[in-house]
Amino acid sequence: MAEPADPAVAASSSVRHVALAAMPKAELHLHLDGSLRVETALELARTRNVDAPRDVESMRAALVAPMPCTSQAELLRAFDLPIALMQDAEALERITAELVETKAAENVRYVEIRWGPLLHVARGLSLVDGIAAVARGARDAATKTGTEVRLICTGLRSHDPAANVDLAEAASRFIDDGLTGWDLAGGEEQFPDPELHRSAFSAARAGGLRITLHAGEWGGAAQVRRALALDPERIAHGPGAIDDPELCAELIARGVTLDLAPSSNWQAGIVPSIAAHPLARLHRLGVSVTLSTDDTTVSDLSLTDEYERALDQIGLTPDELWAIDRHALDVAFADEPTLARLRAEFDAWRAVATLPGTTPPT
Ligand SMILES: [Zn+2]
């Protein structure tokens, strides 16, 4: 984002950015493979002998998707290189730990990280060893940083339904290691019907996993309706719901949350600008929403940046931003004692803090 030319505006914007960074935050929609550090990618490319750029600038250009892309399909191509670099347990463990540390550094106190374990077995890693590596990285970094982490296992729309059933069953065995959710993601235009994977959802539910899925990165409100048929607690994206008042009413009545990511939606070409994103309108209608980055590296974005854009470009008030942030702790896929502790921590901060974006008392 361009710096404001007026030094006074620049100073106040920078003060607010610092305040937003200090605000305790919760992020529920974040992909591991979209959040690989550039320096780590360089090292992995060298040590794993992967055909990839060998200098920082070229690697950054390869990992960050065009802004905007022409479609979800173009955005998804940005994941090919990180996935090629994430094919062994050591890499997965390290990348997970580093992502938690990155988030902790901007005071994200609770984060749910999702990834598709079936994408990481191309070089012979077993499914179970891959999941275990991510769980280990998450646990160690959580201990080190104090940020609570939960993991969501993502099945791919393009994968064989039977393979996704096996994945859901394997994932369920890690429920005591912080893997608490099941998700479906991937190209919607090519694979629009999540119903194909109903058995995987059933297996995940039977294993105790909480249910979410991606919808509406293509196909608008109709895709959100299709997702609802799988009876999720939450839907990743789904901004097109705003075009269908009956659907919004159903989301409200059923208490289904949309885990929104405005910058990512703009990047994928779903909304013409971040300002046009319906985050604020959905929230004001009473739809349960949360705010996330989707991808730290692919979108070159911190959660602090995303919060700032929600204030500046989408027009949320600071109180609305706070309510959305705090609300994530009501719909998160974690145990109630953990969430109650986090709510108390967030509320204690709020009791003494001036909300970022408001004028501090003089
Ligand atoms: Zn996503």
Side-chain angles (χ1 to χ4, degrees):
M1 197 158 49
E3 286 296 316
D6 181 333
V9 173
S12 75
S13 138
S14 149
V15 165
R16 198 188 52 182
H17 194 88
V18 169
L20 282 169
M23 175 177 161
K25 292 179 284 298
E27 183 165 24
L28 305 188
H29 182 178
L30 177 67
H31 295 264
L32 184 63
D33 50 359
S35 304
L36 175 54
R37 287 183 185 173
V38 172
E39 298 75 15
T40 302
L42 279 171
E43 192 182 322
L44 292 173
R46 197 177 60 246
T47 53
R48 272 63 173 177
N49 202 23
V50 172
D51 182 19
R54 289 291 192 260
D55 66 88
V56 171
E57 280 320 304
S58 310
M59 182 60 91
R60 189 184 306 282
L63 293 175
V64 177
M67 295 194 199
C69 300
T70 54
S71 64
Q72 186 205 15
E74 186 183 5
L75 182 67
L76 289 176
R77 281 198 288 280
F79 293 83
D80 292 348
L81 175 56
I83 287 167
L85 296 169
M86 298 165 70
Q87 295 296 333
D88 61 85
E90 187 190 346
L92 284 166
E93 181 176 343
R94 171 179 172 178
I95 291 162
T96 308
E98 287 179 348
L99 179 54
V100 175
E101 287 165 17
T102 297
K103 293 293 169 180
E106 57 165 334
N107 216 24
V108 175
R109 300 288 299 147
Y110 177 83
V111 63
E112 291 179 3
I113 297 173
R114 61 186 77 200
W115 87 113
L118 283 169
L119 296 171
H120 303 277
V121 297
R123 288 196 183 183
L125 179 67
S126 80
L127 201 51
V128 165
D129 286 350
I131 297 173
V134 170
R136 212 161 42 239
R139 188 182 55 237
D140 291 351
T143 303
K144 189 170 151 192
T145 62
T147 288
E148 280 289 339
V149 187
R150 295 295 182 274
L151 300 170
I152 297 175
C153 179
T154 297
L156 270 287
R157 286 174 179 263
S158 53
H159 283 165
D160 173 31
N164 277 336
V165 172
D166 292 344
L167 175 63
E169 288 172 355
S172 301
R173 295 205 288 275
F174 287 84
I175 203 159
D176 293 329
D177 291 313
L179 199 169
T180 54
W182 171 259
D183 173 37
L184 185 73
E188 274 184 273
E189 186 170 11
Q190 218 182 341
F191 302 96
D193 196 356
E195 195 65 41
L196 287 174
H197 301 284
R198 179 171 284 278
S199 298
F201 281 82
S202 299
R205 203 173 257 118
L209 300 179
R210 313 268 298 265
I211 303 298
T212 183
L213 74 159
H214 280 65
E217 283 184 283
W218 170 89
Q223 284 298 103
V224 181
R225 281 201 176 279
R226 275 183 150 151
L228 271 183
L230 276 302
D231 200 19
E233 290 182 53
R234 301 182 349 220
I235 290 173
H237 299 301
I242 194 70
D243 300 325
D244 184 340
E246 280 182 24
L247 174 60
C248 287
E250 189 172 349
L251 291 169
I252 294 166
R254 291 169 63 169
V256 176
T257 298
L258 301 181
D259 292 322
L260 297 168
S263 293
S264 174
N265 287 167
W266 166 69
Q267 199 176 7
I270 303 168
V271 290
S273 64
I274 294 170
H277 195 278
L279 164 71
R281 283 175 283 152
L282 287 162
H283 174 66
R284 288 168 194 162
L285 268 178
V287 177
S288 169
V289 298
T290 69
L291 181 55
S292 297
T293 60
D294 209 6
D295 301 291
T296 294
T297 307
V298 165
S299 298
D300 192 21
L301 185 71
S302 69
L303 189 59
T304 303
D305 295 333
E306 192 71 338
Y307 277 28
E308 192 155 44
R309 291 175 184 186
L311 293 172
D312 281 346
Q313 299 183 46
I314 298 177
L316 280 186
T317 68
D319 282 318
E320 287 172 330
L321 179 64
W322 170 256
I324 288 170
D325 182 44
R326 172 68 168 66
H327 177 61
L329 299 175
D330 297 330
V331 296
F333 290 168
D335 57 283
E336 185 51 32
T338 298
L339 294 173
R341 179 175 57 71
L342 284 163
R343 284 185 207 111
E345 182 193 313
F346 278 42
D347 292 346
W349 179 87
R350 177 72 184 95
V352 296
T354 301
L355 276 181
T358 54
T359 311
T362 50

PDB file of all heavy atoms in Angstrom, residues 267-289:
ATOM      1  N   GLN A 267      -8.074 -10.500  -4.557  1.00  0.00           N
ATOM      2  CA  GLN A 267      -6.977 -11.060  -5.345  1.00  0.00           C
ATOM      3  C   GLN A 267      -7.477 -12.150  -6.297  1.00  0.00           C
ATOM      4  O   GLN A 267      -6.975 -12.291  -7.409  1.00  0.00           O
ATOM      5  CB  GLN A 267      -5.936 -11.634  -4.380  1.00  0.00           C
ATOM      6  CG  GLN A 267      -4.580 -11.822  -4.999  1.00  0.00           C
ATOM      7  CD  GLN A 267      -3.567 -12.303  -3.978  1.00  0.00           C
ATOM      8  OE1 GLN A 267      -3.907 -12.610  -2.830  1.00  0.00           O
ATOM      9  NE2 GLN A 267      -2.318 -12.379  -4.378  1.00  0.00           N
ATOM     10  N   ALA A 268      -8.478 -12.909  -5.845  1.00  0.00           N
ATOM     11  CA  ALA A 268      -9.022 -13.999  -6.673  1.00  0.00           C
ATOM     12  C   ALA A 268     -10.054 -13.489  -7.679  1.00  0.00           C
ATOM     13  O   ALA A 268     -10.608 -14.283  -8.435  1.00  0.00           O
ATOM     14  CB  ALA A 268      -9.642 -15.068  -5.785  1.00  0.00           C
ATOM     15  N   GLY A 269     -10.318 -12.195  -7.664  1.00  0.00           N
ATOM     16  CA  GLY A 269     -11.246 -11.637  -8.644  1.00  0.00           C
ATOM     17  C   GLY A 269     -12.712 -11.816  -8.299  1.00  0.00           C
ATOM     18  O   GLY A 269     -13.583 -11.670  -9.149  1.00  0.00           O
ATOM     19  N   ILE A 270     -13.022 -12.140  -7.024  1.00  0.00           N
ATOM     20  CA  ILE A 270     -14.422 -12.343  -6.630  1.00  0.00           C
ATOM     21  C   ILE A 270     -15.114 -11.012  -6.386  1.00  0.00           C
ATOM     22  O   ILE A 270     -16.319 -10.887  -6.607  1.00  0.00           O
ATOM     23  CB  ILE A 270     -14.506 -13.189  -5.340  1.00  0.00           C
ATOM     24  CG1 ILE A 270     -13.797 -14.509  -5.537  1.00  0.00           C
ATOM     25  CG2 ILE A 270     -15.955 -13.424  -4.936  1.00  0.00           C
ATOM     26  CD1 ILE A 270     -13.613 -15.230  -4.231  1.00  0.00           C
ATOM     27  N   VAL A 271     -14.377 -10.059  -5.857  1.00  0.00           N
ATOM     28  CA  VAL A 271     -14.927  -8.710  -5.657  1.00  0.00           C
ATOM     29  C   VAL A 271     -14.044  -7.733  -6.442  1.00  0.00           C
ATOM     30  O   VAL A 271     -12.831  -7.954  -6.563  1.00  0.00           O
ATOM     31  CB  VAL A 271     -14.971  -8.314  -4.156  1.00  0.00           C
ATOM     32  CG1 VAL A 271     -16.013  -9.128  -3.410  1.00  0.00           C
ATOM     33  CG2 VAL A 271     -13.595  -8.450  -3.497  1.00  0.00           C
ATOM     34  N   PRO A 272     -14.639  -6.668  -6.984  1.00  0.00           N
ATOM     35  CA  PRO A 272     -13.854  -5.770  -7.840  1.00  0.00           C
ATOM     36  C   PRO A 272     -12.831  -4.932  -7.077  1.00  0.00           C
ATOM     37  O   PRO A 272     -11.883  -4.423  -7.666  1.00  0.00           O
ATOM     38  CB  PRO A 272     -14.928  -4.872  -8.481  1.00  0.00           C
ATOM     39  CG  PRO A 272     -16.111  -4.970  -7.579  1.00  0.00           C
ATOM     40  CD  PRO A 272     -16.063  -6.317  -6.946  1.00  0.00           C
ATOM     41  N   SER A 273     -13.046  -4.775  -5.779  1.00  0.00           N
ATOM     42  CA  SER A 273     -12.102  -4.023  -4.945  1.00  0.00           C
ATOM     43  C   SER A 273     -12.304  -4.484  -3.508  1.00  0.00           C
ATOM     44  O   SER A 273     -13.342  -5.082  -3.177  1.00  0.00           O
ATOM     45  CB  SER A 273     -12.376  -2.515  -5.034  1.00  0.00           C
ATOM     46  OG  SER A 273     -13.653  -2.239  -4.495  1.00  0.00           O
ATOM     47  N   ILE A 274     -11.336  -4.192  -2.654  1.00  0.00           N
ATOM     48  CA  ILE A 274     -11.513  -4.540  -1.237  1.00  0.00           C
ATOM     49  C   ILE A 274     -12.680  -3.727  -0.662  1.00  0.00           C
ATOM     50  O   ILE A 274     -13.491  -4.237   0.118  1.00  0.00           O
ATOM     51  CB  ILE A 274     -10.197  -4.302  -0.464  1.00  0.00           C
ATOM     52  CG1 ILE A 274      -9.131  -5.280  -0.979  1.00  0.00           C
ATOM     53  CG2 ILE A 274     -10.403  -4.473   1.042  1.00  0.00           C
ATOM     54  CD1 ILE A 274      -7.732  -5.005  -0.484  1.00  0.00           C
ATOM     55  N   ALA A 275     -12.785  -2.479  -1.104  1.00  0.00           N
ATOM     56  CA  ALA A 275     -13.871  -1.617  -0.615  1.00  0.00           C
ATOM     57  C   ALA A 275     -15.252  -2.204  -0.938  1.00  0.00           C
ATOM     58  O   ALA A 275     -16.216  -1.968  -0.213  1.00  0.00           O
ATOM     59  CB  ALA A 275     -13.746  -0.226  -1.231  1.00  0.00           C
ATOM     60  N   ALA A 276     -15.339  -2.956  -2.021  1.00  0.00           N
ATOM     61  CA  ALA A 276     -16.635  -3.521  -2.429  1.00  0.00           C
ATOM     62  C   ALA A 276     -16.969  -4.812  -1.682  1.00  0.00           C
ATOM     63  O   ALA A 276     -18.048  -5.380  -1.865  1.00  0.00           O
ATOM     64  CB  ALA A 276     -16.611  -3.802  -3.936  1.00  0.00           C
ATOM     65  N   HIS A 277     -16.067  -5.277  -0.840  1.00  0.00           N
ATOM     66  CA  HIS A 277     -16.308  -6.549  -0.142  1.00  0.00           C
ATOM     67  C   HIS A 277     -17.468  -6.405   0.848  1.00  0.00           C
ATOM     68  O   HIS A 277     -17.558  -5.403   1.556  1.00  0.00           O
ATOM     69  CB  HIS A 277     -15.043  -6.999   0.601  1.00  0.00           C
ATOM     70  CG  HIS A 277     -15.106  -8.428   1.024  1.00  0.00           C
ATOM     71  ND1 HIS A 277     -15.749  -8.833   2.167  1.00  0.00           N
ATOM     72  CD2 HIS A 277     -14.647  -9.551   0.430  1.00  0.00           C
ATOM     73  CE1 HIS A 277     -15.660 -10.154   2.256  1.00  0.00           C
ATOM     74  NE2 HIS A 277     -14.992 -10.611   1.221  1.00  0.00           N
ATOM     75  N   PRO A 278     -18.337  -7.424   0.932  1.00  0.00           N
ATOM     76  CA  PRO A 278     -19.539  -7.294   1.779  1.00  0.00           C
ATOM     77  C   PRO A 278     -19.324  -7.608   3.267  1.00  0.00           C
ATOM     78  O   PRO A 278     -20.318  -7.767   3.988  1.00  0.00           O
ATOM     79  CB  PRO A 278     -20.496  -8.310   1.150  1.00  0.00           C
ATOM     80  CG  PRO A 278     -19.613  -9.368   0.600  1.00  0.00           C
ATOM     81  CD  PRO A 278     -18.370  -8.659   0.129  1.00  0.00           C
ATOM     82  N   LEU A 279     -18.082  -7.679   3.729  1.00  0.00           N
ATOM     83  CA  LEU A 279     -17.836  -7.971   5.147  1.00  0.00           C
ATOM     84  C   LEU A 279     -18.714  -7.128   6.076  1.00  0.00           C
ATOM     85  O   LEU A 279     -19.411  -7.662   6.949  1.00  0.00           O
ATOM     86  CB  LEU A 279     -16.345  -7.728   5.469  1.00  0.00           C
ATOM     87  CG  LEU A 279     -15.955  -7.610   6.937  1.00  0.00           C
ATOM     88  CD1 LEU A 279     -16.063  -8.966   7.643  1.00  0.00           C
ATOM     89  CD2 LEU A 279     -14.525  -7.080   7.093  1.00  0.00           C
ATOM     90  N   ALA A 280     -18.675  -5.812   5.902  1.00  0.00           N
ATOM     91  CA  ALA A 280     -19.424  -4.935   6.816  1.00  0.00           C
ATOM     92  C   ALA A 280     -20.923  -5.146   6.657  1.00  0.00           C
ATOM     93  O   ALA A 280     -21.661  -5.204   7.649  1.00  0.00           O
ATOM     94  CB  ALA A 280     -19.064  -3.468   6.555  1.00  0.00           C
ATOM     95  N   ARG A 281     -21.379  -5.303   5.405  1.00  0.00           N
ATOM     96  CA  ARG A 281     -22.830  -5.469   5.173  1.00  0.00           C
ATOM     97  C   ARG A 281     -23.325  -6.776   5.782  1.00  0.00           C
ATOM     98  O   ARG A 281     -24.403  -6.827   6.384  1.00  0.00           O
ATOM     99  CB  ARG A 281     -23.111  -5.411   3.669  1.00  0.00           C
ATOM    100  CG  ARG A 281     -23.067  -3.975   3.115  1.00  0.00           C
ATOM    101  CD  ARG A 281     -23.229  -3.951   1.607  1.00  0.00           C
ATOM    102  NE  ARG A 281     -22.001  -4.331   0.922  1.00  0.00           N
ATOM    103  CZ  ARG A 281     -21.936  -4.905  -0.279  1.00  0.00           C
ATOM    104  NH1 ARG A 281     -23.054  -5.200  -0.914  1.00  0.00           N
ATOM    105  NH2 ARG A 281     -20.778  -5.186  -0.835  1.00  0.00           N
ATOM    106  N   LEU A 282     -22.567  -7.844   5.628  1.00  0.00           N
ATOM    107  CA  LEU A 282     -22.970  -9.132   6.208  1.00  0.00           C
ATOM    108  C   LEU A 282     -23.024  -9.031   7.730  1.00  0.00           C
ATOM    109  O   LEU A 282     -23.957  -9.511   8.378  1.00  0.00           O
ATOM    110  CB  LEU A 282     -21.992 -10.230   5.765  1.00  0.00           C
ATOM    111  CG  LEU A 282     -22.132 -10.664   4.293  1.00  0.00           C
ATOM    112  CD1 LEU A 282     -20.879 -11.408   3.824  1.00  0.00           C
ATOM    113  CD2 LEU A 282     -23.374 -11.548   4.106  1.00  0.00           C
ATOM    114  N   HIS A 283     -22.004  -8.412   8.305  1.00  0.00           N
ATOM    115  CA  HIS A 283     -21.960  -8.256   9.760  1.00  0.00           C
ATOM    116  C   HIS A 283     -23.167  -7.450  10.247  1.00  0.00           C
ATOM    117  O   HIS A 283     -23.811  -7.812  11.241  1.00  0.00           O
ATOM    118  CB  HIS A 283     -20.647  -7.563  10.146  1.00  0.00           C
ATOM    119  CG  HIS A 283     -20.556  -7.213  11.596  1.00  0.00           C
ATOM    120  ND1 HIS A 283     -20.508  -8.162  12.598  1.00  0.00           N
ATOM    121  CD2 HIS A 283     -20.524  -6.002  12.223  1.00  0.00           C
ATOM    122  CE1 HIS A 283     -20.444  -7.552  13.769  1.00  0.00           C
ATOM    123  NE2 HIS A 283     -20.450  -6.258  13.574  1.00  0.00           N
ATOM    124  N   ARG A 284     -23.483  -6.380   9.547  1.00  0.00           N
ATOM    125  CA  ARG A 284     -24.598  -5.515   9.981  1.00  0.00           C
ATOM    126  C   ARG A 284     -25.963  -6.185   9.787  1.00  0.00           C
ATOM    127  O   ARG A 284     -26.913  -5.868  10.488  1.00  0.00           O
ATOM    128  CB  ARG A 284     -24.527  -4.166   9.244  1.00  0.00           C
ATOM    129  CG  ARG A 284     -23.360  -3.321   9.757  1.00  0.00           C
ATOM    130  CD  ARG A 284     -23.048  -2.128   8.893  1.00  0.00           C
ATOM    131  NE  ARG A 284     -21.735  -1.580   9.274  1.00  0.00           N
ATOM    132  CZ  ARG A 284     -21.016  -0.766   8.515  1.00  0.00           C
ATOM    133  NH1 ARG A 284     -21.464  -0.365   7.333  1.00  0.00           N
ATOM    134  NH2 ARG A 284     -19.840  -0.323   8.938  1.00  0.00           N
ATOM    135  N   LEU A 285     -26.006  -7.129   8.848  1.00  0.00           N
ATOM    136  CA  LEU A 285     -27.242  -7.913   8.675  1.00  0.00           C
ATOM    137  C   LEU A 285     -27.445  -8.910   9.814  1.00  0.00           C
ATOM    138  O   LEU A 285     -28.534  -9.434  10.001  1.00  0.00           O
ATOM    139  CB  LEU A 285     -27.158  -8.727   7.379  1.00  0.00           C
ATOM    140  CG  LEU A 285     -27.689  -8.144   6.089  1.00  0.00           C
ATOM    141  CD1 LEU A 285     -27.443  -9.134   4.951  1.00  0.00           C
ATOM    142  CD2 LEU A 285     -29.179  -7.840   6.204  1.00  0.00           C
ATOM    143  N   GLY A 286     -26.362  -9.207  10.507  1.00  0.00           N
ATOM    144  CA  GLY A 286     -26.453 -10.185  11.589  1.00  0.00           C
ATOM    145  C   GLY A 286     -25.878 -11.548  11.249  1.00  0.00           C
ATOM    146  O   GLY A 286     -25.984 -12.490  12.040  1.00  0.00           O
ATOM    147  N   VAL A 287     -25.243 -11.663  10.062  1.00  0.00           N
ATOM    148  CA  VAL A 287     -24.557 -12.918   9.725  1.00  0.00           C
ATOM    149  C   VAL A 287     -23.297 -13.016  10.573  1.00  0.00           C
ATOM    150  O   VAL A 287     -22.581 -12.024  10.767  1.00  0.00           O
ATOM    151  CB  VAL A 287     -24.193 -12.957   8.214  1.00  0.00           C
ATOM    152  CG1 VAL A 287     -23.412 -14.220   7.881  1.00  0.00           C
ATOM    153  CG2 VAL A 287     -25.456 -12.860   7.360  1.00  0.00           C
ATOM    154  N   SER A 288     -23.031 -14.197  11.099  1.00  0.00           N
ATOM    155  CA  SER A 288     -21.813 -14.434  11.880  1.00  0.00           C
ATOM    156  C   SER A 288     -20.622 -14.429  10.935  1.00  0.00           C
ATOM    157  O   SER A 288     -20.563 -15.229   9.992  1.00  0.00           O
ATOM    158  CB  SER A 288     -21.939 -15.790  12.587  1.00  0.00           C
ATOM    159  OG  SER A 288     -20.707 -16.185  13.134  1.00  0.00           O
ATOM    160  N   VAL A 289     -19.682 -13.502  11.141  1.00  0.00           N
ATOM    161  CA  VAL A 289     -18.502 -13.421  10.283  1.00  0.00           C
ATOM    162  C   VAL A 289     -17.234 -13.324  11.126  1.00  0.00           C
ATOM    163  O   VAL A 289     -17.267 -12.837  12.258  1.00  0.00           O
ATOM    164  CB  VAL A 289     -18.545 -12.205   9.318  1.00  0.00           C
ATOM    165  CG1 VAL A 289     -19.721 -12.302   8.359  1.00  0.00           C
ATOM    166  CG2 VAL A 289     -18.583 -10.891  10.078  1.00  0.00           C
TER     167      VAL A 289
END
